[in-house]
Amino acid sequence: MKKELPKVTYKANNIFMQEAIIEARLGIHNNHGGPFGAVVVKDGKIVGKGHNCVLFNKDSTCHGEMEAIRDAEKNLNSYSLEGCVLYTTGEPCNMCLTAILWANIDKVYYGCSIEENESIGFRDKKFDGLFGGREKLSSFLIEIDNEACIELFKEYNKLNHTIY
């Protein structure tokens, strides 16, 4: 049974990022995993959503972006998400970034940077360094609604959670 979410005072400016935050909050308040929620949007409509379920599924690949991609592909009955945009609360790790590119997603909007993911205990920056950074992706990966996602990360840090 899912917990009811506590009321929150922070709000993203972008409606799709707000939905990604809601997804992330569902996950953190149900102990599914980290504060990472994502939505896939096509033609102005959400076609897929997901949040981090690494702990819930005991599966290291169940990141929010991966869950949203799987949901969107199922809902669209396609392996290609060409024409779609992804909104996510944290800058995608290398696994998710590669899946996003394989899925043909046009653009990614994220809330918190790799460095901010690291500040709450996640090791994305370590792996990012192994693959040479993101300088070539500056027009593909765009930060928005950072303040709202920082508040989400603060909420997560106040909860009893497992770092993995």
Side-chain angles (χ1 to χ4, degrees), residues 41-62:
V41 176
K42 185 169 187 166
D43 299 327
K45 294 181 180 153
I46 294 174
V47 295
K49 350 172 136 178
H51 60 264
N52 187 294
C53 288
V54 168
L55 299 176
F56 181 73
N57 290 336
K58 296 170 186 59
D59 181 340
S60 60
T61 68
C62 290

Side-chain angles (χ1 to χ4, degrees), residues 112-123:
C112 289
S113 68
I114 290 289
E115 291 77 19
E116 290 162 329
N117 295 350
E118 182 179 48
S119 75
I120 59 168
F122 291 87
R123 51 198 169 127

Side-chain angles (χ1 to χ4, degrees), residues 2 23 30 35 38 42 51 62 69 73 75 84 86 99 103 105 107 111 121 136 138 143 146-147:
K2 289 185 180 178
E23 255 321 290
N30 286 287
K42 185 169 187 166
H51 60 264
C62 290
I69 288 168
E73 289 176 340
N75 292 336
C84 294
L86 186 133
I105 290 174
K107 193 172 289 283
K136 295 178 182 176
S138 62
E143 184 178 274
N146 179 259
E147 288 180 29

Side-chain angles (χ1 to χ4, degrees), residues 20-38:
I21 290 170
I22 291 167
E23 255 321 290
R25 292 185 76 237
L26 283 170
I28 65 174
H29 285 282
N30 286 287
N31 299 312
H32 290 175
F36 306 106

Side-chain angles (χ1 to χ4, degrees), residues 11-163:
K11 183 171 172 44
N13 294 318
N14 181 284
I15 60 169
F16 299 122
M17 184 60 80
Q18 185 66 38
E19 290 298 318
I21 290 170
I22 291 167
E23 255 321 290
R25 292 185 76 237
L26 283 170
I28 65 174
H29 285 282
N30 286 287
N31 299 312
H32 290 175
F36 306 106
V39 296
V40 177
V41 176
K42 185 169 187 166
D43 299 327
K45 294 181 180 153
I46 294 174
V47 295
K49 350 172 136 178
H51 60 264
N52 187 294
C53 288
V54 168
L55 299 176
F56 181 73
N57 290 336
K58 296 170 186 59
D59 181 340
S60 60
T61 68
C62 290
H63 292 193
E65 298 92 337
M66 301 294 280
E67 297 296 293
I69 288 168
R70 290 175 183 130
D71 189 45
E73 289 176 340
K74 182 179 105 187
N75 292 336
L76 295 174
N77 195 30
S78 176
Y79 59 86
S80 178
L81 298 178
E82 190 173 349
C84 294
V85 176
L86 186 133
Y87 293 81
T88 181
T89 56
E91 188 173 359
C93 71
N94 285 290
M95 175 186 68
C96 292
L97 183 55
T98 303
I100 289 164
L101 293 169
W102 274 109
N104 298 313
I105 290 174
D106 293 348
K107 193 172 289 283
V108 175
Y109 294 97
Y110 66 90
C112 289
S113 68
I114 290 289
E115 291 77 19
E116 290 162 329
N117 295 350
E118 182 179 48
S119 75
I120 59 168
F122 291 87
R123 51 198 169 127
D124 303 17
K125 188 174 179 183
K126 171 186 170 184
F127 296 117
D128 203 43
L130 294 173
F131 294 102
R134 296 163 183 251
E135 292 77 25
K136 295 178 182 176
L137 298 170
S138 62
S139 63
F140 181 72
L141 294 169
I142 300 168
E143 184 178 274
I144 64 170
D145 285 319
N146 179 259
E147 288 180 29
C149 291
I150 288 290
E151 291 302 314
L152 168 70
F153 279 21
K154 288 178 184 175
E155 180 180 3
Y156 172 72
N157 269 338
K158 290 177 186 173
L159 300 172
N160 184 19
H161 61 273
T162 303
I163 295 292

